[in-house]
Amino acid sequence: VRKFQAAEHFNTLPEFVGRKHNRPKLETLDQDDISRPATSVLKRAMKVREERLRELKDRLEREEQLRLAESEMRLRHALKEKGDKKKVGRDRLGLAIYKWKAERKNAAEQAGAGHSRLWNVYDSVLGTAKYVDLTHTIEPAMPIWRGFGNITFSPAVNRLTGKPFTYADNLFVANAYQLTTDQMGTQLDAPVHFNPYFAAADEIPATFALRKLVVID
């Protein structure tokens, strides 16, 4: 191991050893047809790189804005809680920092405070609510835009045997899905779907998806 020479093993220059991709061999480097890319190609590559960097910068700024909005929502919710509180400063995002006066509670109250509030919500709202499933069932004949094409379902195939999984041979069965797009069924269509500078689905807090519903009959 001590005598191992990576450059010699990969037949390349020492400067290229650390690369995972585009690691040319010595005979390739010795060829006369290897030349510097044309100026127009370099300019186009630099332009694309600058556009990607601007997009990344805008996404990071958007992420920070969403994080700030979520923090404000949490603060507003916390301010609705009972108890004496005092403003003691601001955090790095500029949000006010409050400190609540400590209140002595017994162990039973501390352990059951949050738990009881959740059960109260369930008993008063969730437990007696009527649930209506408005989602589309994922199936081959489901509605989908013709520009994408239909999706297909089939039995999953064992790569080792080339045959579908069966109860008799494998003690289980499985399905295989070929999806032509993710734009199907009931989904969250993120703003980035329409503009590359808008928020992606993973940049939207889950709280943004919770909204009041009005049913017009």
Side-chain angles (χ1 to χ4, degrees):
V1 175
R2 294 180 179 177
K3 296 181 180 180
F4 177 76
Q5 298 294 330
E8 181 179 351
H9 176 77
F10 292 112
N11 190 25
T12 188
L13 294 176
E15 292 82 357
F16 297 151
V17 170
R19 292 184 176 182
K20 294 183 179 180
H21 306 284
N22 191 22
R23 187 193 299 132
K25 294 185 178 181
L26 293 177
E27 54 265 26
T28 304
L29 295 172
D30 291 336
Q31 295 177 3
D32 296 334
D33 59 350
I34 297 180
S35 58
R36 187 174 183 270
T39 303
S40 59
V41 176
L42 291 175
K43 288 184 178 180
R44 186 163 56 250
M46 289 298 297
K47 182 178 180 181
V48 172
R49 179 176 180 272
E50 292 175 358
E51 291 176 352
R52 295 292 184 268
L53 289 175
R54 284 197 298 268
E55 180 181 349
L56 176 60
K57 179 177 178 293
D58 292 339
R59 281 181 174 271
L60 292 175
E61 292 178 352
R62 178 60 175 167
E63 182 181 2
E64 188 69 14
Q65 292 173 359
L66 292 173
R67 186 182 298 110
L68 178 60
E70 185 178 12
S71 298
E72 290 178 347
M73 293 175 63
R74 290 179 177 177
L75 177 60
R76 292 175 183 175
H77 178 74
L79 291 176
K80 294 179 181 179
E81 297 290 332
K82 296 180 179 180
D84 296 334
K85 51 187 173 290
K86 178 182 179 181
K87 184 176 178 180
V88 295
R90 294 184 176 274
D91 61 10
R92 64 181 184 85
L93 298 177
L95 295 177
I97 301 176
Y98 290 86
K99 183 177 181 181
W100 273 258
K101 182 180 180 180
E103 297 181 1
R104 184 178 298 275
K105 297 182 179 180
N106 57 46
E109 290 177 337
Q110 292 178 357
H115 186 268
S116 62
R117 285 198 297 268
L118 290 176
W119 275 118
N120 289 337
V121 172
Y122 177 82
D123 292 335
S124 61
V125 181
L126 302 179
T128 58
K130 177 183 179 181
Y131 294 89
V132 180
D133 186 4
L134 300 178
T135 60
H136 290 281
T137 300
I138 304 297
E139 57 184 359
M142 68 179 299
I144 190 171
W145 183 52
R146 62 183 181 179
F148 292 130
N150 294 328
I151 61 179
T152 57
F153 292 8
S154 61
V157 175
N158 189 334
R159 296 179 60 185
L160 301 178
T161 63
K163 299 179 180 179
F165 294 99
T166 63
Y167 293 113
D169 296 334
N170 309 102
L171 302 180
F172 72 93
V173 295
N175 296 322
Y177 306 93
Q178 293 185 350
L179 307 181
T180 58
T181 177
D182 59 354
Q183 300 295 312
M184 63 179 186
T186 306
Q187 55 162 315
L188 174 63
D189 211 351
V192 73
H193 179 55
F194 304 99
N195 190 305
Y197 297 103
F198 290 173
D202 61 335
E203 298 173 323
I204 302 176
T207 51
F208 276 58
L210 300 177
R211 290 293 183 267
K212 294 181 179 180
L213 174 66
V214 176
V215 178
I216 301 177
D217 189 353

